[in-house]
Short mmCIF file of all heavy atoms in Angstrom, two decimals:
data_model
loop_
_atom_site.label_atom_id
_atom_site.label_comp_id
_atom_site.label_asym_id
_atom_site.label_seq_id
_atom_site.Cartn_x
_atom_site.Cartn_y
_atom_site.Cartn_z
N MET A 20 -3.87 -15.27 14.67
CA MET A 20 -3.86 -16.06 13.46
C MET A 20 -2.42 -16.37 13.08
O MET A 20 -1.50 -15.65 13.46
CB MET A 20 -4.60 -15.31 12.36
CG MET A 20 -6.04 -15.02 12.75
SD MET A 20 -7.14 -14.37 11.50
CE MET A 20 -6.94 -15.47 10.16
N GLY A 21 -2.23 -17.40 12.33
CA GLY A 21 -0.90 -17.89 12.03
C GLY A 21 0.08 -16.90 11.45
O GLY A 21 1.25 -16.92 11.79
N ASP A 22 -0.38 -16.01 10.60
CA ASP A 22 0.52 -15.07 9.95
C ASP A 22 0.75 -13.80 10.74
O ASP A 22 1.55 -12.95 10.35
CB ASP A 22 -0.02 -14.69 8.56
CG ASP A 22 0.00 -15.88 7.62
OD1 ASP A 22 0.77 -16.83 7.87
OD2 ASP A 22 -0.77 -15.85 6.64
N ASP A 23 0.04 -13.63 11.85
CA ASP A 23 0.16 -12.40 12.63
C ASP A 23 1.55 -12.27 13.25
O ASP A 23 2.16 -13.26 13.64
CB ASP A 23 -0.90 -12.35 13.73
CG ASP A 23 -2.29 -12.11 13.17
OD1 ASP A 23 -2.40 -11.66 12.01
OD2 ASP A 23 -3.26 -12.37 13.89
N ASP A 24 2.02 -11.05 13.34
CA ASP A 24 3.34 -10.76 13.91
C ASP A 24 3.22 -9.65 14.95
O ASP A 24 3.95 -8.67 14.93
CB ASP A 24 4.30 -10.34 12.78
CG ASP A 24 5.71 -10.11 13.30
OD1 ASP A 24 6.09 -10.76 14.28
OD2 ASP A 24 6.39 -9.25 12.73
N VAL A 25 2.24 -9.81 15.83
CA VAL A 25 1.99 -8.80 16.86
C VAL A 25 3.02 -8.94 17.97
O VAL A 25 3.32 -10.05 18.40
CB VAL A 25 0.56 -8.99 17.42
CG1 VAL A 25 0.30 -8.03 18.56
CG2 VAL A 25 -0.48 -8.83 16.32
N PRO A 26 3.58 -7.83 18.48
CA PRO A 26 4.51 -7.92 19.61
C PRO A 26 3.85 -8.66 20.79
O PRO A 26 2.73 -8.34 21.17
CB PRO A 26 4.79 -6.46 19.96
CG PRO A 26 4.52 -5.71 18.69
CD PRO A 26 3.41 -6.45 18.01
N ARG A 27 4.55 -9.63 21.32
CA ARG A 27 3.95 -10.50 22.34
C ARG A 27 3.51 -9.74 23.59
O ARG A 27 2.55 -10.13 24.25
CB ARG A 27 4.91 -11.62 22.73
CG ARG A 27 5.09 -12.63 21.59
CD ARG A 27 5.91 -13.84 22.04
NE ARG A 27 5.24 -14.62 23.08
CZ ARG A 27 4.32 -15.55 22.84
NH1 ARG A 27 3.96 -15.81 21.62
NH2 ARG A 27 3.79 -16.23 23.83
N TYR A 28 4.20 -8.66 23.93
CA TYR A 28 3.81 -7.94 25.15
C TYR A 28 2.44 -7.28 25.02
O TYR A 28 1.86 -6.85 26.01
CB TYR A 28 4.87 -6.90 25.53
CG TYR A 28 4.93 -5.70 24.63
CD1 TYR A 28 4.21 -4.55 24.94
CD2 TYR A 28 5.72 -5.70 23.49
CE1 TYR A 28 4.27 -3.44 24.11
CE2 TYR A 28 5.78 -4.60 22.65
CZ TYR A 28 5.04 -3.47 22.97
OH TYR A 28 5.09 -2.38 22.16
N LEU A 29 1.90 -7.24 23.81
CA LEU A 29 0.58 -6.66 23.60
C LEU A 29 -0.52 -7.72 23.49
O LEU A 29 -1.67 -7.40 23.20
CB LEU A 29 0.57 -5.80 22.33
CG LEU A 29 1.40 -4.54 22.41
CD1 LEU A 29 1.50 -3.89 21.03
CD2 LEU A 29 0.80 -3.57 23.42
N THR A 30 -0.16 -8.98 23.74
CA THR A 30 -1.14 -10.05 23.62
C THR A 30 -1.29 -10.77 24.96
O THR A 30 -0.49 -10.60 25.87
CB THR A 30 -0.73 -11.08 22.55
OG1 THR A 30 0.47 -11.74 22.96
CG2 THR A 30 -0.51 -10.41 21.19
N ARG A 31 -2.31 -11.60 25.02
CA ARG A 31 -2.53 -12.47 26.17
C ARG A 31 -3.21 -13.73 25.67
O ARG A 31 -3.70 -13.79 24.54
CB ARG A 31 -3.38 -11.80 27.25
CG ARG A 31 -4.81 -11.56 26.80
CD ARG A 31 -5.68 -11.06 27.96
NE ARG A 31 -7.06 -10.85 27.53
CZ ARG A 31 -7.96 -11.83 27.41
NH1 ARG A 31 -7.62 -13.07 27.72
NH2 ARG A 31 -9.19 -11.60 27.00
N GLU A 32 -3.25 -14.74 26.53
CA GLU A 32 -3.91 -15.99 26.17
C GLU A 32 -5.33 -15.97 26.71
O GLU A 32 -5.56 -15.62 27.87
CB GLU A 32 -3.14 -17.18 26.77
CG GLU A 32 -3.66 -18.52 26.32
CD GLU A 32 -2.78 -19.66 26.82
OE1 GLU A 32 -1.55 -19.57 26.68
OE2 GLU A 32 -3.35 -20.62 27.36
N ASP A 33 -6.30 -16.32 25.87
CA ASP A 33 -7.69 -16.34 26.34
C ASP A 33 -8.01 -17.68 26.99
O ASP A 33 -7.16 -18.57 27.09
CB ASP A 33 -8.66 -15.98 25.21
CG ASP A 33 -8.75 -17.05 24.13
OD1 ASP A 33 -8.22 -18.16 24.33
OD2 ASP A 33 -9.36 -16.77 23.08
N ALA A 34 -9.26 -17.82 27.45
CA ALA A 34 -9.67 -19.01 28.20
C ALA A 34 -9.59 -20.28 27.37
O ALA A 34 -9.58 -21.38 27.92
CB ALA A 34 -11.10 -18.82 28.72
N TRP A 35 -9.55 -20.16 26.05
CA TRP A 35 -9.51 -21.32 25.17
C TRP A 35 -8.11 -21.58 24.61
O TRP A 35 -7.93 -22.38 23.72
CB TRP A 35 -10.51 -21.13 24.02
CG TRP A 35 -11.91 -21.03 24.54
CD1 TRP A 35 -12.78 -22.07 24.77
CD2 TRP A 35 -12.60 -19.85 24.93
NE1 TRP A 35 -13.96 -21.59 25.28
CE2 TRP A 35 -13.89 -20.23 25.38
CE3 TRP A 35 -12.26 -18.49 24.96
CZ2 TRP A 35 -14.82 -19.31 25.85
CZ3 TRP A 35 -13.20 -17.57 25.41
CH2 TRP A 35 -14.46 -17.99 25.84
N GLY A 36 -7.14 -20.85 25.11
CA GLY A 36 -5.76 -21.05 24.69
C GLY A 36 -5.36 -20.27 23.46
O GLY A 36 -4.25 -20.41 22.96
N GLY A 37 -6.25 -19.43 22.98
CA GLY A 37 -5.93 -18.61 21.82
C GLY A 37 -5.19 -17.34 22.23
O GLY A 37 -5.23 -16.94 23.39
N THR A 38 -4.51 -16.74 21.30
CA THR A 38 -3.81 -15.49 21.55
C THR A 38 -4.66 -14.33 21.07
O THR A 38 -5.11 -14.32 19.93
CB THR A 38 -2.46 -15.48 20.81
OG1 THR A 38 -1.68 -16.59 21.25
CG2 THR A 38 -1.70 -14.19 21.10
N VAL A 39 -4.90 -13.41 21.97
CA VAL A 39 -5.73 -12.24 21.64
C VAL A 39 -5.00 -10.98 22.06
O VAL A 39 -4.04 -11.02 22.84
CB VAL A 39 -7.10 -12.31 22.36
CG1 VAL A 39 -7.89 -13.53 21.88
CG2 VAL A 39 -6.94 -12.34 23.87
N MET A 40 -5.45 -9.86 21.54
CA MET A 40 -4.85 -8.59 21.93
C MET A 40 -5.17 -8.33 23.40
O MET A 40 -6.27 -8.59 23.88
CB MET A 40 -5.41 -7.43 21.07
CG MET A 40 -4.99 -7.47 19.62
SD MET A 40 -3.21 -7.44 19.35
CE MET A 40 -2.76 -5.83 20.02
N ARG A 41 -4.20 -7.81 24.10
CA ARG A 41 -4.40 -7.45 25.51
C ARG A 41 -5.19 -6.15 25.57
O ARG A 41 -5.03 -5.28 24.72
CB ARG A 41 -3.04 -7.27 26.18
CG ARG A 41 -3.08 -7.14 27.67
CD ARG A 41 -1.69 -7.32 28.27
NE ARG A 41 -0.69 -6.43 27.75
CZ ARG A 41 -0.51 -5.18 28.15
NH1 ARG A 41 -1.27 -4.68 29.10
NH2 ARG A 41 0.42 -4.42 27.62
N ARG A 42 -6.06 -6.02 26.54
CA ARG A 42 -6.80 -4.78 26.75
C ARG A 42 -6.35 -4.17 28.07
O ARG A 42 -6.02 -4.88 29.01
CB ARG A 42 -8.31 -5.04 26.82
CG ARG A 42 -8.91 -5.48 25.50
CD ARG A 42 -10.38 -5.81 25.68
NE ARG A 42 -10.98 -6.29 24.46
CZ ARG A 42 -11.81 -5.58 23.69
NH1 ARG A 42 -12.13 -4.36 24.05
NH2 ARG A 42 -12.32 -6.09 22.60
N LEU A 43 -6.38 -2.87 28.14
CA LEU A 43 -6.05 -2.20 29.39
C LEU A 43 -7.33 -2.03 30.21
O LEU A 43 -8.42 -2.39 29.78
CB LEU A 43 -5.39 -0.85 29.10
CG LEU A 43 -4.07 -0.95 28.31
CD1 LEU A 43 -3.41 0.43 28.22
CD2 LEU A 43 -3.11 -1.96 28.92
N ASP A 44 -7.21 -1.48 31.40
CA ASP A 44 -8.36 -1.37 32.30
C ASP A 44 -9.52 -0.60 31.70
O ASP A 44 -10.68 -0.80 32.08
CB ASP A 44 -7.93 -0.71 33.62
CG ASP A 44 -7.03 -1.63 34.44
OD1 ASP A 44 -7.00 -2.84 34.16
OD2 ASP A 44 -6.34 -1.11 35.34
N ASP A 45 -9.23 0.31 30.78
CA ASP A 45 -10.31 1.09 30.17
C ASP A 45 -11.04 0.32 29.08
O ASP A 45 -12.00 0.82 28.48
CB ASP A 45 -9.78 2.42 29.62
CG ASP A 45 -8.69 2.24 28.56
OD1 ASP A 45 -8.44 1.10 28.12
OD2 ASP A 45 -8.08 3.27 28.19
N GLY A 46 -10.60 -0.90 28.78
CA GLY A 46 -11.28 -1.73 27.81
C GLY A 46 -10.75 -1.62 26.39
O GLY A 46 -11.09 -2.42 25.53
N TRP A 47 -9.95 -0.60 26.13
CA TRP A 47 -9.41 -0.41 24.79
C TRP A 47 -8.20 -1.31 24.58
O TRP A 47 -7.51 -1.70 25.52
CB TRP A 47 -8.98 1.05 24.60
CG TRP A 47 -10.12 2.01 24.55
CD1 TRP A 47 -10.77 2.55 25.63
CD2 TRP A 47 -10.73 2.58 23.40
NE1 TRP A 47 -11.75 3.40 25.19
CE2 TRP A 47 -11.74 3.44 23.84
CE3 TRP A 47 -10.51 2.43 22.03
CZ2 TRP A 47 -12.54 4.15 22.94
CZ3 TRP A 47 -11.31 3.16 21.16
CH2 TRP A 47 -12.31 4.00 21.61
N CYS A 48 -7.93 -1.57 23.34
CA CYS A 48 -6.78 -2.39 22.97
C CYS A 48 -5.48 -1.75 23.49
O CYS A 48 -5.31 -0.53 23.42
CB CYS A 48 -6.74 -2.49 21.44
SG CYS A 48 -5.29 -3.33 20.80
N ALA A 49 -4.58 -2.59 23.97
CA ALA A 49 -3.31 -2.10 24.52
C ALA A 49 -2.44 -1.43 23.46
O ALA A 49 -1.54 -0.67 23.81
CB ALA A 49 -2.55 -3.26 25.17
N ALA A 50 -2.70 -1.70 22.20
CA ALA A 50 -1.89 -1.10 21.13
C ALA A 50 -2.41 0.27 20.68
O ALA A 50 -1.78 0.93 19.86
CB ALA A 50 -1.84 -2.03 19.92
N LEU A 51 -3.52 0.69 21.23
CA LEU A 51 -4.12 1.96 20.81
C LEU A 51 -3.49 3.13 21.55
O LEU A 51 -3.39 3.11 22.78
CB LEU A 51 -5.62 1.94 21.08
CG LEU A 51 -6.37 3.20 20.66
CD1 LEU A 51 -6.46 3.27 19.13
CD2 LEU A 51 -7.75 3.24 21.29
N ASP A 52 -3.05 4.13 20.82
CA ASP A 52 -2.57 5.37 21.43
C ASP A 52 -3.79 6.17 21.88
O ASP A 52 -4.62 6.58 21.07
CB ASP A 52 -1.76 6.16 20.40
CG ASP A 52 -1.17 7.43 20.99
OD1 ASP A 52 -1.91 8.18 21.68
OD2 ASP A 52 0.01 7.70 20.75
N ARG A 53 -3.93 6.37 23.17
CA ARG A 53 -5.12 7.02 23.72
C ARG A 53 -5.23 8.49 23.30
O ARG A 53 -6.33 9.04 23.29
CB ARG A 53 -5.11 6.95 25.25
CG ARG A 53 -5.82 5.74 25.83
CD ARG A 53 -5.11 4.49 25.52
NE ARG A 53 -5.77 3.34 26.13
CZ ARG A 53 -5.58 2.12 25.71
NH1 ARG A 53 -4.79 1.87 24.69
NH2 ARG A 53 -6.19 1.13 26.29
N GLN A 54 -4.14 9.13 22.99
CA GLN A 54 -4.18 10.55 22.62
C GLN A 54 -4.61 10.72 21.17
O GLN A 54 -5.48 11.53 20.85
CB GLN A 54 -2.81 11.20 22.83
CG GLN A 54 -2.30 11.13 24.26
CD GLN A 54 -3.22 11.86 25.23
OE1 GLN A 54 -3.65 12.96 24.95
NE2 GLN A 54 -3.52 11.21 26.36
N THR A 55 -3.98 9.96 20.28
CA THR A 55 -4.25 10.12 18.85
C THR A 55 -5.33 9.18 18.34
O THR A 55 -5.87 9.39 17.25
CB THR A 55 -2.98 9.84 18.03
OG1 THR A 55 -2.60 8.47 18.21
CG2 THR A 55 -1.83 10.74 18.47
N ARG A 56 -5.61 8.13 19.14
CA ARG A 56 -6.54 7.06 18.74
C ARG A 56 -6.07 6.34 17.46
O ARG A 56 -6.87 5.89 16.66
CB ARG A 56 -7.96 7.57 18.59
CG ARG A 56 -8.52 8.02 19.90
CD ARG A 56 -9.99 8.16 19.88
NE ARG A 56 -10.47 8.45 21.23
CZ ARG A 56 -11.70 8.77 21.51
NH1 ARG A 56 -12.59 8.83 20.58
NH2 ARG A 56 -12.05 8.99 22.75
N LEU A 57 -4.77 6.30 17.31
CA LEU A 57 -4.17 5.56 16.20
C LEU A 57 -3.53 4.29 16.73
O LEU A 57 -3.11 4.23 17.88
CB LEU A 57 -3.12 6.42 15.49
CG LEU A 57 -3.64 7.69 14.82
CD1 LEU A 57 -2.46 8.51 14.27
CD2 LEU A 57 -4.62 7.35 13.70
N CYS A 58 -3.43 3.31 15.85
CA CYS A 58 -2.80 2.05 16.21
C CYS A 58 -1.29 2.23 16.23
O CYS A 58 -0.70 2.70 15.26
CB CYS A 58 -3.19 0.99 15.18
SG CYS A 58 -2.43 -0.61 15.48
N THR A 59 -0.66 1.85 17.35
CA THR A 59 0.79 2.03 17.49
C THR A 59 1.58 0.92 16.80
O THR A 59 2.80 1.00 16.72
CB THR A 59 1.19 2.08 18.98
OG1 THR A 59 0.79 0.86 19.61
CG2 THR A 59 0.56 3.28 19.68
N ILE A 60 0.86 -0.11 16.35
CA ILE A 60 1.54 -1.21 15.64
C ILE A 60 0.88 -1.42 14.28
O ILE A 60 0.71 -2.55 13.82
CB ILE A 60 1.49 -2.51 16.47
CG1 ILE A 60 0.06 -2.90 16.81
CG2 ILE A 60 2.35 -2.40 17.72
CD1 ILE A 60 -0.09 -4.34 17.26
N TYR A 61 0.50 -0.34 13.65
CA TYR A 61 -0.32 -0.42 12.44
C TYR A 61 0.25 -1.40 11.41
O TYR A 61 -0.49 -2.18 10.84
CB TYR A 61 -0.45 0.98 11.82
CG TYR A 61 -1.45 1.01 10.69
CD1 TYR A 61 -2.81 1.00 10.96
CD2 TYR A 61 -1.04 1.04 9.36
CE1 TYR A 61 -3.76 1.02 9.95
CE2 TYR A 61 -1.97 1.06 8.33
CZ TYR A 61 -3.32 1.05 8.63
OH TYR A 61 -4.23 1.06 7.62
N GLN A 62 1.57 -1.37 11.18
CA GLN A 62 2.17 -2.26 10.19
C GLN A 62 2.16 -3.72 10.65
O GLN A 62 2.27 -4.62 9.84
CB GLN A 62 3.61 -1.83 9.88
CG GLN A 62 3.69 -0.45 9.24
CD GLN A 62 2.92 -0.35 7.94
OE1 GLN A 62 2.87 -1.30 7.17
NE2 GLN A 62 2.29 0.80 7.69
N ARG A 63 2.02 -3.92 11.97
CA ARG A 63 2.04 -5.29 12.52
C ARG A 63 0.70 -5.67 13.15
O ARG A 63 0.63 -6.64 13.89
CB ARG A 63 3.16 -5.41 13.55
CG ARG A 63 4.54 -5.27 12.93
CD ARG A 63 5.62 -5.29 13.99
NE ARG A 63 5.73 -6.59 14.63
CZ ARG A 63 6.59 -6.87 15.61
NH1 ARG A 63 7.42 -5.93 16.04
NH2 ARG A 63 6.65 -8.07 16.14
N ARG A 64 -0.35 -4.91 12.86
CA ARG A 64 -1.66 -5.20 13.45
C ARG A 64 -2.13 -6.58 12.96
O ARG A 64 -1.80 -6.99 11.84
CB ARG A 64 -2.68 -4.10 13.14
CG ARG A 64 -3.10 -4.03 11.68
CD ARG A 64 -3.77 -2.72 11.41
NE ARG A 64 -4.35 -2.63 10.09
CZ ARG A 64 -3.68 -2.46 8.96
NH1 ARG A 64 -2.37 -2.38 8.98
NH2 ARG A 64 -4.32 -2.37 7.82
N PRO A 65 -2.94 -7.26 13.79
CA PRO A 65 -3.38 -8.60 13.42
C PRO A 65 -4.33 -8.60 12.23
O PRO A 65 -4.96 -7.59 11.91
CB PRO A 65 -4.07 -9.11 14.69
CG PRO A 65 -4.36 -7.93 15.51
CD PRO A 65 -3.39 -6.86 15.13
N GLY A 66 -4.45 -9.76 11.62
CA GLY A 66 -5.29 -9.91 10.44
C GLY A 66 -6.73 -9.49 10.68
O GLY A 66 -7.37 -8.89 9.82
N VAL A 67 -7.25 -9.78 11.88
CA VAL A 67 -8.63 -9.42 12.16
C VAL A 67 -8.82 -7.91 12.09
O VAL A 67 -9.86 -7.42 11.66
CB VAL A 67 -9.09 -10.00 13.52
CG1 VAL A 67 -8.33 -9.36 14.67
CG2 VAL A 67 -10.58 -9.90 13.68
N CYS A 68 -7.81 -7.16 12.47
CA CYS A 68 -7.89 -5.70 12.39
C CYS A 68 -7.79 -5.24 10.93
O CYS A 68 -8.45 -4.28 10.53
CB CYS A 68 -6.78 -5.06 13.21
SG CYS A 68 -6.89 -5.45 14.96
N ARG A 69 -6.98 -5.92 10.15
CA ARG A 69 -6.86 -5.57 8.73
C ARG A 69 -8.18 -5.81 8.00
O ARG A 69 -8.51 -5.11 7.05
CB ARG A 69 -5.75 -6.40 8.08
CG ARG A 69 -4.39 -6.08 8.63
CD ARG A 69 -3.33 -7.05 8.10
NE ARG A 69 -2.08 -6.86 8.78
CZ ARG A 69 -1.16 -5.98 8.41
NH1 ARG A 69 -1.35 -5.25 7.35
NH2 ARG A 69 -0.06 -5.84 9.11
N ASP A 70 -8.92 -6.83 8.43
CA ASP A 70 -10.18 -7.16 7.78
C ASP A 70 -11.33 -6.28 8.23
O ASP A 70 -12.39 -6.28 7.61
CB ASP A 70 -10.55 -8.61 8.07
CG ASP A 70 -9.59 -9.59 7.43
OD1 ASP A 70 -8.85 -9.18 6.50
OD2 ASP A 70 -9.56 -10.75 7.87
N TYR A 71 -11.15 -5.56 9.32
CA TYR A 71 -12.22 -4.76 9.90
C TYR A 71 -12.30 -3.43 9.18
O TYR A 71 -11.36 -2.64 9.20
CB TYR A 71 -11.92 -4.54 11.39
CG TYR A 71 -13.13 -4.34 12.24
CD1 TYR A 71 -13.88 -5.41 12.70
CD2 TYR A 71 -13.50 -3.06 12.62
CE1 TYR A 71 -14.98 -5.22 13.50
CE2 TYR A 71 -14.61 -2.86 13.42
CZ TYR A 71 -15.34 -3.95 13.86
OH TYR A 71 -16.43 -3.75 14.66
N GLU A 72 -13.41 -3.17 8.56
CA GLU A 72 -13.54 -1.96 7.77
C GLU A 72 -13.84 -0.76 8.67
O GLU A 72 -14.83 -0.75 9.42
CB GLU A 72 -14.65 -2.12 6.74
CG GLU A 72 -14.71 -1.00 5.74
CD GLU A 72 -15.75 -1.25 4.67
OE1 GLU A 72 -16.22 -2.40 4.54
OE2 GLU A 72 -16.09 -0.30 3.96
N MET A 73 -12.98 0.23 8.60
CA MET A 73 -13.11 1.41 9.46
C MET A 73 -14.38 2.19 9.11
O MET A 73 -14.69 2.41 7.95
CB MET A 73 -11.88 2.31 9.27
CG MET A 73 -11.85 3.47 10.25
SD MET A 73 -10.25 4.31 10.27
CE MET A 73 -10.03 4.74 8.57
N GLY A 74 -15.11 2.58 10.15
CA GLY A 74 -16.27 3.44 9.98
C GLY A 74 -17.57 2.70 9.69
O GLY A 74 -18.61 3.35 9.56
N VAL A 75 -17.54 1.36 9.62
CA VAL A 75 -18.80 0.64 9.39
C VAL A 75 -19.55 0.50 10.72
O VAL A 75 -19.02 0.84 11.78
CB VAL A 75 -18.55 -0.75 8.75
CG1 VAL A 75 -17.93 -0.61 7.38
CG2 VAL A 75 -17.71 -1.63 9.65
N GLY A 76 -20.76 -0.03 10.66
CA GLY A 76 -21.62 -0.09 11.83
C GLY A 76 -20.98 -0.67 13.07
O GLY A 76 -21.03 -0.06 14.14
N ASP A 77 -20.39 -1.85 12.97
CA ASP A 77 -19.78 -2.49 14.14
C ASP A 77 -18.66 -1.63 14.72
O ASP A 77 -18.48 -1.55 15.93
CB ASP A 77 -19.21 -3.86 13.78
CG ASP A 77 -20.29 -4.88 13.54
OD1 ASP A 77 -21.46 -4.60 13.88
OD2 ASP A 77 -19.97 -5.95 13.01
N CYS A 78 -17.91 -1.01 13.84
CA CYS A 78 -16.80 -0.15 14.27
C CYS A 78 -17.34 1.03 15.09
O CYS A 78 -16.83 1.34 16.16
CB CYS A 78 -16.03 0.34 13.05
SG CYS A 78 -14.71 1.51 13.41
N LEU A 79 -18.38 1.65 14.61
CA LEU A 79 -18.95 2.81 15.30
C LEU A 79 -19.59 2.41 16.62
O LEU A 79 -19.50 3.14 17.61
CB LEU A 79 -19.97 3.52 14.40
CG LEU A 79 -19.38 4.11 13.12
CD1 LEU A 79 -20.48 4.68 12.24
CD2 LEU A 79 -18.32 5.16 13.44
N ILE A 80 -20.20 1.23 16.68
CA ILE A 80 -20.79 0.76 17.92
C ILE A 80 -19.70 0.59 18.98
O ILE A 80 -19.86 1.00 20.13
CB ILE A 80 -21.55 -0.58 17.69
CG1 ILE A 80 -22.82 -0.29 16.89
CG2 ILE A 80 -21.85 -1.28 19.01
CD1 ILE A 80 -23.51 -1.54 16.39
N GLU A 81 -18.58 -0.04 18.62
CA GLU A 81 -17.46 -0.21 19.55
C GLU A 81 -16.91 1.14 19.99
O GLU A 81 -16.59 1.35 21.15
CB GLU A 81 -16.35 -1.04 18.92
CG GLU A 81 -16.65 -2.51 18.84
CD GLU A 81 -16.88 -3.12 20.21
OE1 GLU A 81 -16.04 -2.92 21.09
OE2 GLU A 81 -17.91 -3.79 20.40
N PHE A 82 -16.81 2.05 19.06
CA PHE A 82 -16.27 3.38 19.37
C PHE A 82 -17.12 4.07 20.43
O PHE A 82 -16.61 4.62 21.41
CB PHE A 82 -16.22 4.22 18.09
CG PHE A 82 -15.65 5.58 18.29
CD1 PHE A 82 -14.28 5.76 18.38
CD2 PHE A 82 -16.48 6.68 18.39
CE1 PHE A 82 -13.75 7.02 18.56
CE2 PHE A 82 -15.95 7.94 18.58
CZ PHE A 82 -14.58 8.11 18.66
N VAL A 83 -18.44 4.02 20.27
CA VAL A 83 -19.34 4.67 21.21
C VAL A 83 -19.36 3.93 22.54
O VAL A 83 -19.34 4.53 23.61
CB VAL A 83 -20.76 4.74 20.62
CG1 VAL A 83 -21.77 5.19 21.66
CG2 VAL A 83 -20.77 5.67 19.41
N ARG A 84 -19.33 2.58 22.48
CA ARG A 84 -19.40 1.76 23.69
C ARG A 84 -18.21 2.00 24.61
O ARG A 84 -18.34 2.06 25.83
CB ARG A 84 -19.48 0.28 23.31
CG ARG A 84 -19.71 -0.67 24.48
CD ARG A 84 -19.86 -2.09 24.00
NE ARG A 84 -18.62 -2.64 23.49
CZ ARG A 84 -17.68 -3.21 24.26
NH1 ARG A 84 -17.85 -3.26 25.56
NH2 ARG A 84 -16.60 -3.71 23.73
N LEU A 85 -17.04 2.16 24.03
CA LEU A 85 -15.83 2.29 24.84
C LEU A 85 -15.43 3.74 25.09
O LEU A 85 -14.43 4.00 25.73
CB LEU A 85 -14.68 1.56 24.14
CG LEU A 85 -14.85 0.04 24.04
CD1 LEU A 85 -13.76 -0.56 23.20
CD2 LEU A 85 -14.89 -0.58 25.42
N LYS A 86 -16.17 4.66 24.58
CA LYS A 86 -15.82 6.07 24.71
C LYS A 86 -15.80 6.53 26.14
O LYS A 86 -16.52 6.14 26.97
CB LYS A 86 -16.84 6.91 23.91
CG LYS A 86 -16.28 8.18 23.40
CD LYS A 86 -17.30 8.78 22.43
CE LYS A 86 -16.77 10.07 21.89
NZ LYS A 86 -17.71 10.70 20.99
S1 SF4 B 107 -5.96 -1.81 14.83
FE1 SF4 B 107 -6.10 -3.64 16.10
S2 SF4 B 107 -4.12 -3.77 17.15
FE2 SF4 B 107 -4.32 -1.69 16.38
S3 SF4 B 107 -5.22 -0.53 18.08
FE3 SF4 B 107 -6.92 -1.21 16.78
S4 SF4 B 107 -7.59 -3.13 17.73
FE4 SF4 B 107 -5.52 -2.69 18.50
#
């Protein structure tokens, strides 16, 4: 999104030309610390992450799916 200030090395271009977070081979976001499960760019995380409410249904589904 226009106001996002995510470090470019953590993003990639999708099939439609948009900028999205890069994922590693395990499917998790490249900005996620695998040990602590905390966001390593929390202050610079994209707007979509800021809008995502932690612990709600969709969040828990993703957590279980990628575990
Ligand atoms: S908050 Fe967003 S940028 Fe940070 S680890 Fe989670 S998905 Fe990645």
Side-chain angles (χ1 to χ4, degrees):
M20 301 189 51
D22 293 338
D23 288 343
D24 183 30
V25 176
R27 290 188 65 84
Y28 72 93
L29 292 171
T30 65
R31 67 173 181 81
E32 187 174 312
D33 69 10
W35 297 272
T38 302
V39 297
M40 292 301 296
R41 191 165 56 81
R42 292 176 183 254
L43 299 187
D44 290 343
D45 59 9
W47 291 82
C48 174
L51 181 72
D52 183 313
R53 269 67 178 160
Q54 300 299 315
T55 64
R56 294 196 173 172
L57 296 175
C58 178
T59 59
I60 57 163
Y61 189 76
Q62 296 301 324
R63 294 175 67 181
R64 69 196 187 285
V67 66
C68 298
R69 295 172 188 273
D70 294 342
Y71 207 81
E72 189 175 345
M73 187 168 56
V75 297
D77 288 347
C78 176
L79 296 175
I80 289 170
E81 285 299 309
F82 181 79
V83 170
R84 187 177 69 85
L85 294 173
K86 209 170 180 181

